Amino acid sequence: MSIGNTLLGLLEAGPKHGYDLKQLYDKQFRQDRPLHYGQVYSTLNRLLKNGLVEENGVEAGGGPDRKRYAITDAGVTNVEDWLKSPESPSVYLQNTLYTKVVLALLSGRGAQDLLDTQRGSHLRAMRELTARKTGGDLADQLICDHALFHLEADLRWLELTAARLDDLARQLAR
């Protein structure tokens, strides 16, 4: 996810302080890893430098001055362009799991155990996501569904690979 574009999108509703943007980001996107304040402020500085946001007032407080940021016309155009452009589909033509299977076969180790262990790990993750989805609101359900569909695709690949291990081992031995 583009943090910069996301912050710009959140600023379209009106000017905000960095602290408020971080809170809103964490609330709306329920990341398993919340956004760090340092990342918010470094992103805002980059957006400011690129003319996508501008300072919209400074408030003195008990600590450092609090700057309020507003999106510029260029920032709005940037968000519009970003929202209109499709995300690149994630194509995993080279992944670590496939590499492990090939190396296990090349070294004479059992790749079936590797696949079984990975299947167990995927199933545990799916149970955790299903439990989270059951207790969550619609936003949580949607993000969990996305992750679950990816895990299901991985499980199908694990099954297919397990069925073809002997053929793959013969091919690698040539």
Side-chain angles (χ1 to χ4, degrees):
M1 178 186 307
S2 167
I3 304 295
N5 285 321
T6 304
L7 295 181
L8 286 172
L10 293 173
L11 282 170
E12 280 192 297
K16 292 175 184 52
H17 297 99
Y19 175 86
D20 299 327
L21 281 169
K22 186 245 188 288
Q23 297 300 314
L24 186 57
Y25 180 97
D26 290 348
K27 177 184 174 197
Q28 292 301 322
F29 302 108
R30 291 179 170 73
Q31 301 296 320
D32 289 327
R33 289 169 284 165
L35 197 57
H36 295 285
Y37 286 104
Q39 191 173 10
V40 171
Y41 292 108
S42 64
T43 302
L44 285 170
N45 284 332
R46 189 179 75 251
L47 295 171
L48 186 63
K49 185 175 110 180
N50 293 334
L52 302 175
V53 299
E54 61 190 8
E55 286 186 21
N56 185 261
V58 177
E59 298 171 11
D65 290 344
R66 294 183 61 199
K67 295 178 187 174
R68 191 172 46 246
Y69 297 89
I71 191 168
T72 63
D73 290 341
V76 171
T77 300
N78 192 78
V79 171
E80 287 173 355
D81 292 345
W82 180 63
L83 291 174
K84 289 177 186 175
S85 65
E87 288 298 305
S88 298
S90 298
V91 178
Y92 303 105
L93 294 179
Q94 180 63 35
N95 74 24
T96 305
L97 187 53
Y98 172 76
T99 301
K100 285 182 171 185
V101 169
V102 170
L103 289 175
L105 292 173
L106 288 174
S107 68
R109 293 180 175 95
Q112 186 62 52
D113 289 344
L114 181 153
L115 293 172
D116 289 343
T117 300
Q118 191 64 50
R119 185 180 305 105
S121 179
H122 272 60
L123 290 172
R124 275 189 300 283
M126 290 176 82
R127 282 191 297 275
E128 291 169 7
L129 285 167
T130 300
R132 177 177 168 179
K133 177 181 160 178
T134 302
D137 61 12
L138 181 58
D140 219 26
Q141 292 170 16
L142 289 171
I143 198 68
C144 287
D145 280 340
H146 186 265
L148 284 164
F149 292 146
H150 281 272
L151 289 170
E152 286 174 12
D154 286 350
L155 282 175
R156 287 194 310 268
W157 182 85
L158 290 167
E159 293 300 324
L160 179 66
T161 302
R164 294 179 172 176
L165 270 181
D166 291 340
D167 292 340
L168 181 58
R170 279 193 292 279
Q171 189 176 51
L172 292 171
R174 290 187 216 166

